[in-house]
Amino acid sequence: MILEVQVINHGIEDSFLDKVREISKQFFALPTEEKLKYARTVNQTEGYGNDKVLTDNQRLDWSDRLYLNVFPEDIRKLQFWPQKPECFREVFEKYIKDMKLLSESLLKAMAASLNVEENCFLDQCGERGNMIARFNFYPPCPRPDVVLGVKQHADSSAITILLQDKEVEGLQVLKDDQWFRVPVVPYGLLINVGDQVEIMSNGIFKSPVHRVLTNAERERNTLAIFIMPDVDVGIGPVEKLINEERPRAYKDINNYVALFFQSYQQGKRPIEAAKISQELH
């Protein structure tokens, strides 16, 4: 079951989602020297920038990003949190609190839909599960036929919550070897299952492969919230989801994210390394 759904009855005011979009647009519209005050360092992901270059033949994404670690609060590095626009921190703080509550409700509902204990996915995220925000800016691209905004991948998260651009499409999902566009629902939130819930659900929920197209004429702004299990807490298939009809398909994994980024930049699917060879069954 590939799970990528648009949630509309999420309880967040339309006008507030517009504010969230606006702080993103205003930040990326700042002069370069202002944005570079929040630039990430060479060996770090957090901050303003674009792809880390890991290999000589790596295909780079056509986008600028602002990565921020937001939960647990003690891992925040506020030097990367923009002070312009002036309302950025206030609006963002409220949004991530809303996302924390929404993500917990979603993970409980997903577990309940499989007739297992509602906290079983949440418990595997641990008390110090991470939330990471990534503001994405895709400028107009002169060659959208050959350049991607984001290369194809599946998310390393448990789940991802995406606030799409209100007007400009770009996201596509791979299904049956074909790419399908994801329509814009202006005040919806797009929920993606990540690799780690695919593992926890023993493959019942599938992490969709997706990519972002560029646009020759219009810019696009999105905000992705990644719900990440604590790297110090191992994950694995929930025992009640393993049976004769559905044998264990994945190994127990510690620090899934560590293997993810290197595989992603090389164009490989890291979840393949978590699968148990069929010959073992």
Side-chain angles (χ1 to χ4, degrees), residues 3 105-114 121 158-159 191 193 197 205:
L3 191 58
S105 295
L106 287 167
L107 286 167
K108 288 181 179 180
M110 290 166 66
S113 74
L114 301 181
F121 295 156
I159 57 172
I191 313 301
V193 163
V197 158
F205 293 132

Side-chain angles (χ1 to χ4, degrees), residues 37-38 76-82 89:
K37 292 178 182 178
Y38 310 102
R76 295 180 183 178
K77 296 178 180 175
L78 294 179
Q79 68 266 32
F80 293 119
W81 290 43
R89 294 189 179 188

Side-chain angles (χ1 to χ4, degrees), residues 78-93:
L78 294 179
Q79 68 266 32
F80 293 119
W81 290 43
Q83 295 185 12
K84 292 183 180 179
E86 290 183 1
C87 62
F88 184 98
R89 294 189 179 188
E90 178 186 353
V91 172
F92 182 52
E93 183 82 55

